[in-house]
């Protein structure tokens, strides 16, 4: 499956689930002084999550162009060291503004990734993480979707502060945030790395391909989490990371996505120069 086909399949799948297709917004965010660049698909919907803006739809889907070369979500220093980090990429996303929540978001993700009509990824290669205290998401995955407990991982506050976790997503130092559940693809034992939460998690064997963020709070400058007017959903599907899962490639790819696999790590100086040229 070619990368362009994955993008169109994602957009079409969510349109069939009642989502409105929305164009990618500018890489320079409009009317948001907290961001230098658009770093996620949810940026253009920030006011929808906060309840400050009402649109003609409560479900949206997009393929958003993003830059992560500074600020809270900065991948620049990892370019060239891993097979999955980029400074410029497209983020596929589905969004709910006070409409559906955890159960539907999880079901949509699993259906798109594993059903024969869509990506048809082997279920046994998928691992799932949840925020440590999110029993609701854990139970949906294990009791309703059927993911075995041995491929489920609870991730707590592993970054030195409350809610500082790989499974608690924030747009920046302030703004919408909430616990998340991530889906990882196992590329096989011939690639070094361990499952999420393990000491070897930075390897390239287990690659995150989907992140469902359950937007429940607004973090203010004083660090306080205020409940949002209506719980919402912000999904990010890593388009460049999912392409190798649908082909014979075993590494995430660069600009042509489905045409070229980089099998060697470039020297840091080359990686930095390449990133700046982009």
């Amino acid at each position: 499956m070619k990368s362009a086909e994955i993008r169109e399949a994602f957009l079409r799948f969510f349109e069939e689930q009642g989502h409105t297709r929305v164009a990618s917004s500018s890489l320079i965010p409009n009317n948001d002084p907290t961001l230098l660049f658009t770093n996620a698909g949810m940026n253009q919907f920030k006011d929808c999550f906060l309840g400050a803006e009402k649109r003609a739809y409560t479900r949206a889907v997009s393929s958003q162009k993003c830059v992560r070369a500074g600020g809270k979500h900065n991948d620049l220093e990892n370019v060239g060291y891993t097979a999955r980090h980029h400074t410029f990429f497209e983020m596929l996303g589905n969004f709910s503004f006070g409409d559906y929540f955890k159960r539907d978001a999880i079901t949509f993700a699993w259906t798109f990734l594993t059903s024969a009509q869509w990506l048809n990824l082997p279920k046994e290669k998928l691992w799932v993480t949840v925020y440590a205290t999110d029993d609701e998401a854990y139970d949906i995955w294990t009791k309703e979707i059927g993911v075995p407990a041995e491929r489920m991982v609870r991730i707590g506050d592993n970054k030195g502060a409350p809610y500082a976790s790989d499974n608690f997503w924030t747009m920046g130092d302030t703004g919408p945030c909430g616990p998340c559940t991530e889906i990882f693809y196992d590329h096989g034992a011939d690639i070094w790395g361990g499952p999420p939460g393990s000491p070897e998690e930075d390897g390239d064997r287990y690659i995150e391909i989907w992140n469902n963020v359950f937007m429940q709070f607004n973090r203010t400058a004083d660090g306080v989490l205020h409940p949002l007017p209506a719980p919402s959903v912000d999904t990010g599907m890593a388009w460049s990371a999912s392409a190798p899962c649908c082909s014979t490639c075993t590494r995430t790819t660069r600009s042509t996505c489905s045409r070229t696999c980089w099998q060697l790590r470039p020297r840091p100086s080359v990686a930095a120069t390449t990133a700046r040229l982009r």
Side-chain angles (χ1 to χ4, degrees), residues 30-227:
N30 295 320
N31 303 319
D32 191 343
T34 68
L35 293 173
L36 179 60
F37 298 114
T38 294
N39 63 14
M42 58 77 59
N43 291 169
Q44 67 169 308
F45 303 115
K46 178 179 177 180
D47 286 343
C48 298
F49 290 119
L50 295 175
E53 178 185 354
K54 299 293 183 183
R55 300 196 181 186
Y57 48 83
T58 58
R59 299 183 177 197
V61 61
S62 70
S63 181
Q64 174 65 50
K65 296 175 177 63
C66 300
V67 169
R68 291 189 174 179
K72 186 173 183 62
H73 298 283
N74 180 15
D75 290 341
L76 182 60
E77 300 305 320
N78 293 314
V79 172
Y81 290 95
T82 76
R84 62 188 183 276
H85 287 96
H86 310 280
T87 53
F88 174 79
F89 61 95
E90 282 189 53
M91 180 71 75
L92 302 174
N94 61 281
F95 308 93
S96 165
F97 313 119
D99 191 327
Y100 61 85
F101 201 44
K102 295 182 182 181
R103 177 169 286 102
D104 285 341
I106 289 171
T107 301
F108 288 154
W110 194 252
T111 300
F112 180 72
L113 290 174
T114 66
S115 68
Q117 181 183 355
W118 300 102
L119 296 195
N120 198 29
L121 298 184
K123 297 177 181 179
E124 66 274 12
K125 284 186 167 290
L126 300 180
W127 286 59
V128 176
T129 65
V130 298
Y131 189 54
T133 58
D134 193 349
D135 295 331
E136 180 183 3
Y138 186 93
D139 288 345
I140 293 171
W141 279 116
T142 56
K143 297 178 181 179
E144 299 181 29
I145 302 299
V147 177
E150 57 266 27
R151 295 207 308 273
M152 292 290 306
V153 181
R154 292 179 184 262
I155 304 291
D157 296 333
N158 58 352
K159 296 183 177 180
Y163 305 112
S165 169
D166 289 329
N167 278 78
F168 195 95
W169 195 89
T170 60
M171 184 184 77
D173 293 331
T174 62
C177 59
C180 64
T181 180
E182 298 177 318
I183 304 173
F184 290 75
Y185 186 87
D186 179 2
H187 282 281
D190 59 321
I191 299 174
W192 182 82
S198 71
E200 297 81 25
E201 66 177 0
D202 288 333
D204 289 326
R205 175 175 174 178
Y206 298 85
I207 299 296
E208 177 198 339
I209 59 173
W210 197 289
N211 186 9
N212 270 327
V213 182
F214 305 124
M215 292 294 192
Q216 296 176 248
F217 306 102
N218 177 32
R219 187 198 300 269
T220 50
D222 56 5
V224 176
L225 302 184
H226 304 274

Side-chain angles (χ1 to χ4, degrees), residues 185-278:
Y185 186 87
D186 179 2
H187 282 281
D190 59 321
I191 299 174
W192 182 82
S198 71
E200 297 81 25
E201 66 177 0
D202 288 333
D204 289 326
R205 175 175 174 178
Y206 298 85
I207 299 296
E208 177 198 339
I209 59 173
W210 197 289
N211 186 9
N212 270 327
V213 182
F214 305 124
M215 292 294 192
Q216 296 176 248
F217 306 102
N218 177 32
R219 187 198 300 269
T220 50
D222 56 5
V224 176
L225 302 184
H226 304 274
L228 291 175
S232 299
V233 171
D234 158 29
T235 289
M237 179 186 175
W239 179 56
S240 56
S242 63
C245 305
C246 303
S247 70
T248 57
C249 300
T250 56
R251 290 290 189 272
T252 189
T253 50
R254 296 309 191 254
S255 58
T256 53
C257 200
S258 63
R259 299 178 185 173
T260 305
C261 278
W262 290 60
Q263 302 294 337
L264 300 174
R265 276 183 193 170
R267 295 187 302 275
S269 58
V270 175
T273 301
T274 302
R276 282 163 175 77
L277 287 174
R278 290 196 187 107

